[in-house]
Amino acid sequence: MVRLPLPLQIALRSIRTAMVPTPADITKFLESVHPYDSLPKAEFDRVARRFTCHAYGKAETIYSRGEPIPGLFLVMDGGVEVTDAAGAVISQLHPRNSFGERGLMEDGFAATTARTLADTLLLLLPSDEFKRLIAEQPLFQRFFARGRHAEPLRGDMAVQKVGDLMSSPPITCTPQENIRNAARLIRDRRISSLGVVDNGRLVGILTIRDLSTGVLAEGLDPDTTQVSAVMTREPIGLPAEALGSDVLNLMLERHIGHLPVIDGDRLVGMVTQTDLTRFQAVSSTQIIHEIARAQRVEDLRTATGHIPRLLVQLVGGNNRHEVATRLITDVADAVTRRLIHLAEEILGPAPVPYVWLACGSQGRQEQTGISDQDNCLFIDDSFVESQRPWFEKLARFVSDGLHACGYVYCPGDMMATNPRWCQPVRVWRTYFQGWITTPDPMAQMLASVMFDLRPIAGSTALFADLQAETLDRASRNSIFVAHMISNSLKHAPPLGLLRGFATVRAGEHRNQIDMKHNGVIPVVDIGRVDALIARLAPANTRARLLAAREAGVISGAGASDLVAAYDLIAELRLRNQAAQVKAGRRPDNYLAPYEFGDLERSHLRDAFVVVRTMQSALAQRGSAPV
């Protein structure tokens, strides 16, 4: 059957009158949709008249990838599924969601395919009117340009799970509590509502509005009035598996700002308008913008305080681990650079050129929700000892500032404040030469850390030449490479007998596994050795593994298996940290594998088996390909 051109299909659908609302219905609907609800009155009236309504049956194609788009679509009733070129679902859209703007703002052709999920009513704003609004209305432009320069794969709030949006654990009180105590709890916890729970069952919700309209306005005595007298009884709630669009729709339709998240009749969390705003607002770009304007360490500490929420948002948005850790590391880089700038404003210009470098997870761009600091200074060879006080003050200011911002002092004193790690390039050259020619255990440990160096600020040329020289010298020393391989095998995957896990046996983390030292670090070590053997410049683990495959140091199949294993281990580590943040706990690297289902637990163990297999292969091969 020949398919009619899209404009003709749209025209024919416009004559289906059984489901088509009146212009007054369209106007009323648009009044509840942003950004139209914020347009000037005359502009709103004009735009409302330009919309046309079109009815679609279930499973109809609205447009296909590559077709011209006649305008911006807005879901009035029903649902729409958007898929990419491979047929993968990108999003599911519901009333008040728009789509088609991506193609309109690029070349006018659809970049995706859109199909209906049910009988659906769509409003269509012609492309010429859409482009006019983009050009003339800053509010409209900002709304439809949102996310176009945001982090890759960042999730749309409308399709996020409610469990990723909510504040948890919820703060509660009993219905018998008096109003004064409840109000104090709201004040002290800096929240806007309390869940009212009786014998574990949610029976109501108490908000600041309830206190003002139900207590103050009525002149009730807060010491004798119980919460049950003014709370909202039997509040509507949603399960954690519901979508963000469900929250938005309920809040708009019911004119409410607080929505309990429930499991049966048990309260598990609370979603507020503030949560939704925070979810949309927090991004690495905005945190870095805040950092760039900071004038004091206290300002920087406020900015880095957003990192836990950023972690939750990145994980909840289904970003890959290498994207999430890169964006979190970008924040640490920005804080470091800003501290250096503030220090130079106090100390004056540097007496000679220098470069500040990060090592460890920051050097590899793999920071998560918990990180210490590892750094050093390379100084130009024109340096003389009389200039050392300037660099000591710089190192102290930056290191103390990083500590205040949550990047705690390195337990091993691997910091620029240690005179050993604040030296001219000529001294650093002797360090690396000594580690390579005399590879004792301490030398191996130091070399392992320093091979992850990455310049953060200053004259990067001071490091580039030494890096190339060191890689060349180290890769040609077979004894040093053998020692590096041996050193890389010290961290073993947590594999136990009978398809189990080797968990911590006692203490705070009993029956848990260390996803850092026994999870990601074994892969980090393999990637470092492969980079050394092939003289590869990248410091990032995943980039090293892929580059090693291209260089033939590791086979294609071996690299693919190891990358897949690393991805799973790193993803679970991040997911666990995000869950800890949402539960109100400080994130750590410990995970309880037996709390997972059989399938996921089996996949994790298989990933550890791959890592152990690749460690064994590394031990066998020396510098030969797997």
Side-chain angles (χ1 to χ4, degrees):
M1 182 176 66
V2 178
R3 189 179 176 209
L4 296 175
L6 183 58
L8 183 55
Q9 296 177 51
I10 296 291
L12 289 174
R13 287 194 181 95
S14 67
I15 66 173
R16 297 180 185 174
T17 59
M19 297 175 59
V20 177
T22 66
D25 293 330
I26 294 176
T27 298
K28 184 176 181 181
F29 175 74
L30 290 174
E31 288 174 345
S32 69
V33 180
H34 194 70
Y36 310 100
D37 60 346
S38 299
L39 291 173
K41 179 68 166 59
E43 188 67 76
F44 174 84
D45 291 341
R46 169 177 172 163
V47 173
R49 289 193 297 269
R50 293 299 308 274
F51 271 102
T52 56
C53 190
H54 309 276
Y56 290 77
K58 182 178 180 180
E60 279 197 70
T61 299
I62 302 163
Y63 57 70
S64 296
R65 184 173 181 272
E67 291 185 345
I69 298 182
L72 178 73
F73 290 91
L74 174 63
V75 183
M76 189 172 185
D77 188 43
V80 173
E81 183 175 82
V82 179
T83 56
D84 62 15
V89 176
I90 298 175
S91 59
Q92 291 185 341
L93 308 175
H94 301 279
R96 298 182 180 82
N97 292 156
S98 299
F99 60 100
E101 66 268 24
R102 177 181 172 189
L104 291 174
M105 296 179 75
E106 292 179 356
D107 56 5
F109 292 87
T112 57
T113 297
R115 298 183 181 88
T116 57
L117 295 169
D119 291 342
T120 300
L121 283 178
L122 297 178
L123 298 182
L124 177 65
L125 183 68
S127 59
D128 63 333
E129 184 69 1
F130 174 81
K131 293 175 181 177
R132 183 191 69 80
L133 286 167
I134 289 289
E136 298 179 6
Q137 295 292 330
L139 172 71
F140 201 84
Q141 195 278 334
R142 285 196 301 272
F143 181 82
F144 284 101
R146 69 198 191 283
R148 293 176 62 81
H149 303 288
E151 296 86 2
L153 300 179
R154 181 182 175 186
D156 178 3
M157 183 178 68
V159 296
Q160 295 306 303
K161 294 291 183 66
V162 169
D164 293 324
L165 301 173
M166 70 183 185
S167 299
S168 64
I171 311 302
T172 65
C173 69
T174 67
Q176 294 79 31
E177 187 64 76
N178 69 53
I179 290 297
R180 186 178 299 279
N181 289 338
R184 284 173 175 164
L185 183 57
I186 288 175
R187 178 200 63 189
D188 294 344
R189 300 302 293 267
R190 298 182 180 180
I191 54 178
S192 56
S193 65
L194 291 172
V196 185
V197 175
D198 189 18
N199 293 322
R201 185 173 66 88
L202 176 67
V203 296
I205 181 174
L206 180 72
T207 67
I208 292 178
R209 182 179 179 183
D210 293 328
L211 295 176
S212 62
T213 61
V215 180
L216 291 178
E218 299 298 328
L220 299 179
D221 183 348
D223 291 312
T224 59
T225 303
Q226 293 186 341
V227 166
S228 59
V230 296
M231 70 182 186
T232 300
R233 295 179 178 275
E234 299 181 357
I236 187 171
L238 286 173
E241 294 75 25
L243 297 179
S245 59
D246 299 322
V247 177
L248 293 169
N249 293 341
L250 276 174
M251 285 185 171
L252 288 169
E253 293 170 7
R254 303 294 183 96
H255 303 288
I256 56 178
H258 303 79
L259 197 67
V261 182
I262 55 176
D263 179 7
D265 59 3
R266 186 173 62 89
L267 179 67
V268 296
M270 187 77 72
V271 177
T272 68
Q273 289 179 340
T274 301
D275 292 322
L276 302 185
T277 302
R278 186 185 299 116
F279 184 91
Q280 292 290 74
V282 176
S283 72
S284 63
T285 301
Q286 288 166 317
I287 294 174
I288 290 173
H289 179 64
E290 188 176 338
I291 289 168
R293 295 182 299 169
Q295 297 299 318
R296 305 174 304 159
V297 172
E298 291 77 8
D299 300 330
L300 293 171
R301 183 167 59 239
T302 299
T304 56
H306 299 310
I307 291 176
R309 173 57 60 178
L310 174 64
L311 171 65
V312 170
Q313 178 172 310
L314 291 171
V315 172
N318 295 317
N319 291 274
R320 293 183 60 85
H321 70 90
E322 67 269 24
V323 173
T325 55
R326 167 62 186 273
L327 295 175
I328 292 172
T329 305
D330 285 348
V331 174
D333 291 354
V335 171
T336 305
R337 285 190 289 267
R338 188 58 183 165
L339 285 167
I340 290 172
H341 176 80
L342 294 175
E344 290 184 342
E345 285 186 342
I346 298 171
L347 302 173
V352 295
Y354 70 93
V355 59
W356 183 284
L357 303 103
C359 44
S361 60
Q362 184 182 0
R364 298 190 303 272
Q365 296 180 301
E366 294 168 4
Q367 286 190 312
T368 64
I370 176 172
S371 297
D372 58 8
Q373 57 175 291
D374 299 279
N375 46 62
C376 61
L377 272 169
F378 281 26
I379 310 173
D380 188 81
D381 280 339
S382 60
F383 167 83
V384 293
E385 279 301 317
S386 62
Q387 297 165 337
R388 182 169 293 281
W390 190 95
F391 290 100
E392 289 177 341
K393 292 175 182 177
L394 171 74
R396 176 53 59 193
F397 183 91
V398 176
S399 183
D400 288 349
L402 289 170
H403 182 80
C405 291
Y407 305 100
V408 298
Y409 299 126
C410 174
D413 202 21
M414 189 71 68
M415 297 181 295
T417 50
N418 183 337
R420 187 179 186 185
W421 311 129
C422 179
Q423 294 291 340
V425 174
R426 61 178 181 271
V427 175
W428 280 101
R429 182 173 282 108
T430 64
Y431 286 166
F432 281 104
Q433 289 176 352
W435 296 334
I436 293 169
T437 57
T438 311
D440 59 32
M442 177 57 71
Q444 289 299 305
M445 186 276 291
L446 294 173
S448 295
V449 173
M450 293 304 175
F451 274 123
D452 292 347
L453 285 173
R454 181 172 61 87
I456 303 299
S459 304
T460 58
L462 295 174
F463 172 69
D465 292 342
L466 180 58
Q467 181 192 37
E469 173 189 322
T470 300
L471 284 173
D472 178 65
R473 181 188 297 270
S475 64
R476 288 188 286 106
N477 188 318
S478 59
I479 296 176
F480 177 77
V481 171
H483 278 279
M484 284 290 288
I485 291 175
S486 176
N487 188 67
S488 73
L489 304 178
K490 291 180 179 178
H491 295 102
L495 292 169
L497 300 175
L498 302 176
R499 295 195 57 80
F501 295 92
T503 60
V504 177
R505 294 187 177 183
E508 177 186 359
H509 301 294
R510 184 173 180 269
N511 295 328
Q512 296 178 332
I513 52 180
D514 186 339
M515 292 293 283
K516 177 181 178 180
H517 291 101
N518 300 114
V520 299
I521 291 299
V523 186
V524 168
D525 290 339
I526 293 173
R528 185 185 297 115
V529 171
D530 286 336
L532 169 64
I533 292 171
R535 306 175 193 177
L536 304 172
N540 176 264
T541 298
R542 202 173 192 277
R544 281 172 164 172
L545 296 176
L546 295 176
R549 180 182 63 186
E550 294 300 317
V553 176
I554 184 172
S555 69
S560 297
D561 287 346
L562 187 56
V563 168
Y566 177 60
D567 286 344
L568 177 62
I569 294 166
E571 296 280 358
L572 286 178
R573 180 192 182 199
L574 276 184
R575 276 173 45 191
N576 188 58
Q577 288 191 357
Q580 290 171 330
V581 171
K582 288 168 61 180
R585 304 199 305 271
R586 179 177 173 80
D588 60 35
N589 290 301
Y590 291 90
L591 178 147
Y594 296 107
E595 293 180 3
F596 289 97
D598 290 342
L599 182 61
E600 196 162 29
R601 189 166 60 246
S602 176
H603 286 329
L604 178 59
R605 191 182 187 284
D606 288 345
F608 288 141
V609 169
V610 169
V611 175
R612 185 170 66 181
T613 300
M614 296 305 293
Q615 282 185 324
S616 299
L618 182 63
Q620 294 290 328
R621 68 183 169 94
S623 60
V626 174

